[in-house]
């Protein structure tokens, strides 16, 4: 029986297919063996290209990996994440200042060098992230599923060598892509009031909103783990945030030509 009140206006999500798609995002870690068609791959990457980019620099590249042996090696380098090997398509999203330096030298000669400072590093990293999220939405609109893989930074130098990354390029994250072979729960997000600030930053309600989220998150974890875990979000963060992670990244990034100044 439909219990929706009469004369109630539909929500923005109910009226908008794009919003419904965005709100239904889930990380997919099991895939059917079906290959992602070339036209789908190209459409996904073109959608990524249409993301906003600082001053038109487009400081990112994406490497599509389908070779089983390469995926197997990447799975090992990323922390033995089996779904990298199992997915039909693995995309490695890279921040890329190398192409910009090549463009500058094409127009102005070999003496033109990229600034290589912190701002350039951030521009390239943000460009890669924006493009990847556009691509993720495009993939989901085609009935595909994705999961981001930060594990490419676990053994980042070996990943870079495997993929032949030149100076001024680094892998920001990977992305498994394929047709879903699972129907996972949607992970709940923080209450809007914990994220949306009005006019200026306000943390006065954080305790209230975190407690509210913890209750929702515990139920999610209990259902997801079939009763094996009921950890709250704040408990998970209390365990996670004190531990420095991937402390080798600075040395690798500097070896790739980035300077943090």
């Amino acid at each position: 029986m439909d219990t929706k009140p009469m004369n109630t206006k539909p929500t923005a999500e109910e009226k908008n297919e794009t919003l419904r798609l965005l709100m239904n995002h889930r990380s997919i870690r099991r895939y059917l063996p079906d290959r992602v068609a070339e036209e789908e791959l190209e459409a996904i990457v073109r959608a990524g290209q249409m993301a906003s980019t600082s001053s038109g620099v487009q400081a990112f590249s994406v490497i599509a990996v389908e070779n089983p042996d390469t995926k197997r090696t990447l799975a090992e380098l990323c922390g033995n994440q089996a779904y990298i090997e199992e997915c039909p398509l693995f995309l490695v999203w890279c921040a890329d200042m190398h192409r910009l330096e090549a463009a500058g030298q094409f127009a102005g000669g070999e003496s033109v060098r990229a600034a290589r400072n912190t701002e350039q590093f951030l521009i390239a990293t943000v460009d890669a992230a924006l493009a990847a999220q556009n691509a993720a939405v495009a993939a989901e609109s085609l009935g595909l599923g994705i999961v981001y893989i930060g594990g490419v930074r676990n053994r980042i130098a070996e990943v870079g060598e495997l993929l032949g990354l030149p100076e001024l390029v680094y892998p920001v994250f990977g992305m498994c892509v394929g047709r879903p072979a699972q129907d996972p729960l949607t992970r709940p997000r923080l209450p809007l009031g914990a994220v949306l600030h009005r006019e200026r930053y306000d943390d006065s309600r954080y305790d209230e909103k975190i407690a509210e989220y913890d209750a929702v998150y515990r139920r999610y974890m209990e259902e997801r783990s079939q009763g094996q875990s009921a950890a709250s979000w704040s408990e998970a963060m209390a365990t996670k945030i004190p531990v420095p992670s991937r402390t080798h990244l600075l040395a690798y990034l500097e070896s790739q030509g980035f300077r943090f100044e």
Side-chain angles (χ1 to χ4, degrees):
M1 178 178 178
D2 187 0
T3 58
K4 183 177 178 180
M6 295 182 64
N7 301 321
T8 299
K9 291 184 178 180
T11 65
E13 293 170 40
E14 290 171 333
K15 293 188 294 183
N16 188 289
E17 183 178 351
T18 302
L19 284 175
R20 290 196 298 275
L21 177 68
L22 289 167
M23 298 301 184
N24 287 324
H25 166 73
R26 297 166 301 167
S27 292
I28 300 298
R29 293 177 173 86
R30 291 174 55 196
Y31 300 91
L32 298 173
D34 311 34
R35 185 175 181 271
V36 175
E38 183 64 22
E39 65 177 359
E40 292 175 315
L41 169 60
E42 292 182 1
I44 289 166
V45 176
R46 283 198 303 270
Q49 288 185 271
M50 294 309 296
S52 296
T53 174
S54 178
S55 302
V57 297
Q58 304 168 76
F60 74 93
S61 288
V62 57
I63 299 174
V65 179
E66 296 179 286
N67 181 282
D69 292 335
T70 308
K71 286 191 296 167
R72 187 177 304 114
T73 302
L74 284 167
E76 179 185 350
L77 295 175
C78 294
N80 297 311
Q81 299 187 64
Y83 32 92
I84 297 173
E85 184 177 353
E86 294 166 1
C87 71
L89 173 66
F90 188 63
L91 302 179
V92 182
W93 295 89
C94 301
D96 185 354
M97 294 296 298
H98 176 75
R99 184 173 57 247
L100 290 173
E101 189 166 88
Q105 293 175 352
F106 177 81
E110 290 295 320
S111 63
V112 176
R113 299 267 290 174
R116 301 171 181 234
N117 67 344
T118 304
E119 173 67 1
Q120 299 295 339
F121 166 80
L122 286 174
I123 285 172
T125 302
V126 170
D127 267 12
L130 293 175
Q133 187 57 22
N134 253 31
V137 175
E140 291 177 344
S141 77
L142 294 171
L144 300 167
I146 69 100
V147 64
Y148 282 96
I149 305 293
V152 297
R153 303 189 301 276
N154 287 359
R155 295 163 65 180
I156 192 168
E158 292 169 85
V159 170
E161 183 177 1
L162 177 68
L163 300 178
L165 301 185
E167 189 179 46
L168 294 179
V169 180
Y170 88 93
V172 185
F173 42 69
M175 179 188 289
C176 295
V177 185
R179 305 201 182 282
Q182 63 175 166
D183 186 21
L185 296 170
T186 300
R187 186 188 295 265
R189 296 308 201 245
L190 284 159
L192 189 63
V195 176
L196 176 61
H197 302 259
R198 306 282 184 174
E199 309 303 335
R200 57 181 294 147
Y201 195 95
D202 178 15
D203 62 2
S204 63
R205 299 181 66 194
Y206 274 2
D207 284 354
E208 171 193 344
K209 293 300 179 184
I210 290 170
E212 178 184 328
Y213 184 51
D214 274 352
V216 174
Y217 198 86
R218 281 193 184 96
R219 291 194 294 271
Y220 161 77
M221 286 301 297
E222 189 168 14
E223 184 174 358
R224 174 182 172 177
S225 68
Q226 298 180 326
Q228 298 301 306
S229 173
S232 72
W233 179 76
S234 63
E235 289 168 342
M237 295 305 103
T239 300
K240 181 179 180 63
I241 62 173
V243 183
S245 62
R246 298 173 182 142
T247 55
H248 57 283
L249 290 181
L250 178 59
Y252 173 74
L253 292 169
E254 288 180 340
S255 75
Q256 287 296 97
F258 292 98
R259 298 290 179 265
F260 298 93
E261 54 190 27

